[in-house]
Amino acid sequence: MTENAQQQPSAPPTELPTQYAPADVEGPLYERWVERGYFEADAKSDKPPYTIVIPPPNVTGSLHLGHAFEHTLIDALTRRKRMQGFETLWQPGMDHAGIATQNVVERELGKEGKSRHDLGREAFVERVWQWKGESGGQISGQMRRLGDGVAWSRERFTMDEGLSQAVQTIFKRLYDDELIYRAERIINWCPRCLTAISDIEVEYQDDDGELVSMKYGEGDDTIVVATTRAETMLGDTAVAVHPDDERYRHLVGKEIRLPLTDRFIPVVADTHVDPEFGTGAVKVTPAHDPNDFEIGQRHNLPSLTVMDEHAVITAHGPFQGLDRLEARSAIVAALRAEGRIVAEKRPYVHSVGHCSRCKTTIEPRLSMQWWVKVGPLAKAAGDAVRDGRVKIHPQEMEKRYFDWVDNLHDWCISRQLWWGHRIPVWYGPNGEVVCVGPDDEAPTGEGWRQDTDVLDTWFSSGLWPFSTLGWPEQTESLAKFYPNSVLVTGYDILFFWVARMMMFGLYAMDGTPPFHTIALHGMVRDQFGKKMSKSFGNAVNPLDWMDKYGSDALRFTLARGANPGVDVPIGEDWVQGSRNFANKIWNATRFALMNGATVDGPLPDASKLSATDRWILSRLNSVVAEVDALYEDYQFAKLSDALFHFAWDEVFDWYVELSKTTFMAGGEPAKVSGRVLGEVLDVTLKLLHPIVPFVTETLWTTLTGGESVVVAEWPTDSGFRDAAAEKEIESLQSVITEVRRFRADQGLQPGQRVPARLTLDGTPFAAHEAAVRQLLRLQPEGEDFSATATLPVAGATVALDLSGTIDVAAERKRLAKDLAAAEKEKAQAGAKLGNEAFLAKAPDNVVDKIRTRLAKADEDIARIQSQLERLPQA
């Protein structure tokens, strides 16, 4: 827990400091929220439920930008639903992370000169629990820093007693239904972690290797095969060719000599072989390749394991005891000495599987393991999406989901570890096999032993949506909060986790899927779109940015980049910009409070409102409706952008500025506008709260005197619209914007006052003259007023007297020079684009750049000519 998070909760401020200091606000606010129980969920409540589970972070982990991104989105959804009156549960917890956690503790033991085998299984597991208590779970404190509104009293751990019971229960049920079985098959083996890993835990990358072609057999019975793993030839038990390949028809059924060994192996015909690839013949090593294993099964070939768990050669002979890579070189050298190497290609770039945790090259290996028969489970998971019970958002991600579940292989669930849920199966002295449920007594007596393997971590996390609610007990929480309303998670674990939860949820909960919607988001990348990694030097600790700019700034930046299913670029400049937005909200609210903004009493009748008041209230209701629709579509980027531009542009830069003259004048109009401004801020702060909770809580409680915006009522669209007022203010904005642009073009300083005559009669905004003059720094016309520039815009006319404010002759000379340069640029770009020979040879990107230059030159010419036309005559 952070230092801020340990501070005692304090009461909300009654007035605002001159500057917003996130570090002074965030910790105390969060602790007050937790102390008051705002994030807890009551299963007995008659409110409609809204449930989201946290994708459980590893107990070994710490907060990274991916966590911060995902948690921001979930927190925004749950905060809004809480404000809408739902009984909201954001379920927290952590995953025991079998391999990762065991590796951490084994490294700690290594520093003491010990291994887990020195301790023994029971003492090692006790040591892991000790590490978990002392060092694990630091992410919980970091979640508080971010503002996660989770129900801390319900925090779960995948190895706690209740979840362990759930794991044992579902294993027993699957086993009894013959959906879990034990068999010897090819698995992905990590020689570093010393355990099997599933297909989805293998990361493939292009590595530099070697492709060696070698000759088997003698005389007319020779055949050439190629391999990138020469060391496996010691375990070859056949050579396979295609049945229709005439080149090898005379060899099918014969036995040929396997080099470097005293064995003869058969040539078999199998349709798996591609006769067009390489020599059309492949070596078959059933114990060390999944495709070869299938060939071996079809042809009753023996499976010879020639490597141990450390990938060290065990086959008898001169290569015994060599590491696989050492053996590879030695075997190629020995074959070369016998004249059996036909060709060698180095480097040979090919796709190689690596352990996703330790990056070691995996080794396919024949092994006795436990498996889940996924066929019927995967079909149910696919059907639930196809028939609409579960929606995947964005919808285009459905194809990836179906590609996976429709082609899912049986799942290897056993791991050769000590930390994890031990497989609840006992073996008897006479070959008995007994699966034990949580209510069963384990067999005792001489010769009985429990399986030494543990279950894949994804097995227990696949139960997360219902095991955390008390299943297999039929608890009130399970009845209230299952199924989850939505799962918010990254597309990168669609297969790891989402598919597992779908299969287990449908199986355990009588066909009820674990969630109604799967909302998939992308991965966080750096500002250039590159994957963040310590090795790339672009990894960011989100706590650093929160310390520097505040948690709200980080959250808003992440939400503003969150388009469904799309990766999110983020850079420090953007976080700084979000900090500026938080400061803008703070300063604008301070101004409003100092100028009479209030939420007291009902809004005045529309007849008492100015056009500016009616405009902002009309826009406010439109934004409420827009934000609600975007939330329902999980369009976080669009709703954040809509709120940013409404708050900054329309409320702070236009409404507040247009109302300043009203506030300065005082009286009843100022009171009316103060009430309108209070209403607008009240609603805007509520709309912003789910994404930027800390600054909005401080401002809202100060503005309204309310208990907390966390439990305030979410705004609803009142239906108030005033198209005429919106059109009037849009026209007024056009006038002000155009005159500001003209002033800037003429080089006038922002604060420089210019005499002007405003012809606003006959337009719908004649009443805005005082505001127009204030915003544009236009002073009244004097007796010697001379209109040297006239701007007709939006039905109004603004005549300016620029005499004495600019040197017209010098300005004309400067603009003429700029015009000549722009015309020269246009001529050069046009000449190149008119040259057919150039266009035929130039790369597309070069041609595109020249077209861009031409378009820019045209824009510059039009702008400069307009400025010249508006200048007074010299």
Side-chain angles (χ1 to χ4, degrees), residues 456-491:
D456 178 10
T457 297
W458 297 104
F459 190 95
S460 52
S461 60
L463 314 181
W464 193 248
F466 52 93
S467 64
T468 52
L469 297 173
W471 187 91
E473 300 299 323
Q474 298 303 306
T475 64
E476 287 182 321
S477 290
L478 188 65
K480 178 74 173 180
F481 296 114
Y482 187 92
N484 286 200
S485 306
V486 61
L487 173 73
V488 179
T489 192
Y491 64 73

Side-chain angles (χ1 to χ4, degrees), residues 538-754:
N538 63 350
V540 175
N541 183 346
L543 294 176
D544 293 341
W545 282 352
M546 287 192 281
D547 288 342
K548 194 170 182 180
Y549 303 110
S551 298
D552 285 332
L554 177 64
R555 290 171 61 117
F556 192 73
T557 305
L558 291 167
R560 205 171 177 194
N563 290 297
V566 179
D567 288 347
V568 183
I570 184 172
E572 185 168 1
D573 288 350
W574 305 344
V575 185
Q576 186 174 355
S578 295
R579 189 271 313 273
N580 295 343
F581 179 52
N583 289 342
K584 183 78 169 180
I585 302 170
W586 184 273
N587 292 332
T589 305
R590 285 189 73 247
F591 169 85
L593 290 169
M594 290 188 291
N595 284 274
T598 179
V599 295
D600 295 337
L603 278 171
D605 186 75
S607 62
K608 296 182 179 180
L609 302 176
S610 68
T612 309
D613 294 333
R614 297 195 306 277
W615 161 73
I616 197 63
L617 290 174
S618 181
R619 288 292 305 127
L620 178 68
N621 279 285
S622 295
V623 169
V624 169
E626 181 184 7
V627 167
D628 272 334
L630 291 171
Y631 259 117
E632 295 303 317
D633 199 34
Y634 305 99
Q635 297 282 356
F636 296 99
K638 290 182 179 179
L639 72 89
S640 298
D641 212 47
L643 286 170
F644 174 86
H645 287 294
F646 176 70
W648 192 306
D649 300 345
E650 298 187 78
V651 179
F652 305 146
D653 280 359
W654 282 110
Y655 181 74
V656 168
E657 293 298 322
L658 288 171
S659 301
K660 279 183 178 178
T661 53
T662 302
F663 289 132
M664 291 168 62
E668 188 61 25
K671 291 181 180 179
V672 170
S673 291
R675 178 64 187 89
V676 170
L677 181 54
E679 181 74 12
V680 171
L681 286 175
D682 176 21
V683 173
T684 302
L685 291 171
K686 287 176 180 175
L687 293 175
L688 283 166
H689 173 73
I691 299 173
V692 285
F694 295 109
V695 68
T696 51
E697 171 79 342
T698 306
L699 296 176
W700 187 85
T701 52
T702 305
L703 171 71
T704 67
E707 177 187 346
S708 172
V709 70
V710 176
V711 290
E713 187 175 343
W714 181 255
T716 55
D717 176 10
S718 71
F720 176 80
R721 300 289 192 279
D722 193 321
E726 289 196 36
K727 183 177 181 181
E728 180 174 337
I729 300 304
E730 286 171 8
S731 298
L732 183 62
Q733 290 170 331
S734 297
V735 172
I736 293 171
T737 301
E738 185 63 23
V739 175
R740 280 176 172 167
R741 184 181 297 118
F742 177 76
R743 286 178 58 109
D745 287 344
Q746 304 310 315
L748 295 175
Q749 296 299 314
Q752 188 173 355
R753 292 194 168 274
V754 178

Side-chain angles (χ1 to χ4, degrees), residues 24 46 102 107 134 185 325 436 456 553 557 575 582 623 637 679 723 773 778 804 830 836 838 850:
D24 296 338
D46 57 3
Q102 179 156 321
R107 282 197 297 269
E134 295 172 355
R185 297 241 184 116
L325 298 182
V436 176
D456 178 10
T557 305
V575 185
V623 169
E679 181 74 12
R773 288 190 178 276
L778 302 179
E836 294 295 335
F838 169 79
I850 294 172

Side-chain angles (χ1 to χ4, degrees), residues 186 236 272 282-297 301:
I186 289 285
D236 287 358
H272 169 76
V282 297
K283 57 191 287 300
V284 182
T285 321
H288 293 278
D289 184 274
N291 293 321
D292 292 2
F293 178 78
E294 297 297 332
I295 295 175
Q297 292 289 295
L301 300 175

Side-chain angles (χ1 to χ4, degrees), residues 144-355:
R144 293 171 181 263
R145 278 291 308 276
L146 192 64
D148 287 1
V150 299
W152 287 111
S153 69
R154 292 174 172 265
E155 188 173 13
R156 303 302 299 269
F157 180 55
T158 50
M159 287 278 287
D160 68 28
E161 184 178 352
L163 269 64
S164 295
Q165 183 183 24
V167 167
Q168 197 172 351
T169 298
I170 201 163
F171 187 100
K172 170 71 170 171
R173 291 187 185 180
L174 289 165
Y175 181 86
D176 290 346
D177 287 344
E178 298 183 348
L179 293 173
I180 282 183
Y181 62 94
R182 191 170 184 244
E184 191 175 43
R185 297 241 184 116
I186 289 285
I187 48 90
N188 303 300
W189 181 264
C190 176
R192 160 63 184 80
C193 297
L194 298 179
T195 182
I197 59 176
S198 65
D199 291 344
I200 55 177
E201 293 170 300
V202 178
E203 293 179 348
Y204 287 90
Q205 65 184 47
D206 288 340
D207 286 356
D208 287 345
E210 61 181 1
L211 180 66
V212 179
S213 298
M214 46 197 181
K215 184 168 57 176
Y216 286 10
E218 308 290 348
D220 293 338
D221 292 346
T222 59
I223 193 166
V224 175
V225 297
T227 182
T228 58
R229 300 163 67 218
E231 67 279 8
T232 62
M233 60 89 61
L234 299 176
D236 287 358
T237 56
V239 171
V241 297
H242 194 276
D244 300 330
D245 195 331
E246 293 292 339
R247 293 172 295 175
Y248 304 116
R249 187 180 296 277
H250 68 289
L251 289 177
V252 174
K254 287 188 175 182
E255 290 194 338
I256 60 174
R257 181 174 176 272
L258 179 67
L260 307 183
T261 72
D262 295 326
R263 295 190 292 113
F264 282 79
I265 58 176
V267 177
V268 299
D270 196 281
T271 55
H272 169 76
V273 180
D274 180 0
E276 303 299 322
F277 184 77
T279 64
V282 297
K283 57 191 287 300
V284 182
T285 321
H288 293 278
D289 184 274
N291 293 321
D292 292 2
F293 178 78
E294 297 297 332
I295 295 175
Q297 292 289 295
R298 289 193 289 271
H299 297 276
N300 295 315
L301 300 175
S303 297
L304 302 181
T305 300
V306 296
M307 275 181 270
D308 67 10
E309 61 187 7
H310 298 279
V312 171
I313 300 298
T314 58
H316 182 70
F319 311 108
Q320 188 173 12
L322 294 180
D323 170 83
R324 56 181 166 170
L325 298 182
E326 296 172 333
R328 183 175 302 171
S329 299
I331 287 172
V332 171
L335 289 168
R336 190 183 298 113
E338 287 191 4
R340 292 190 173 271
I341 297 297
V342 176
E344 297 178 73
K345 185 175 181 180
R346 296 187 186 88
Y348 178 72
V349 179
H350 61 130
S351 181
V352 178
H354 296 260
C355 174

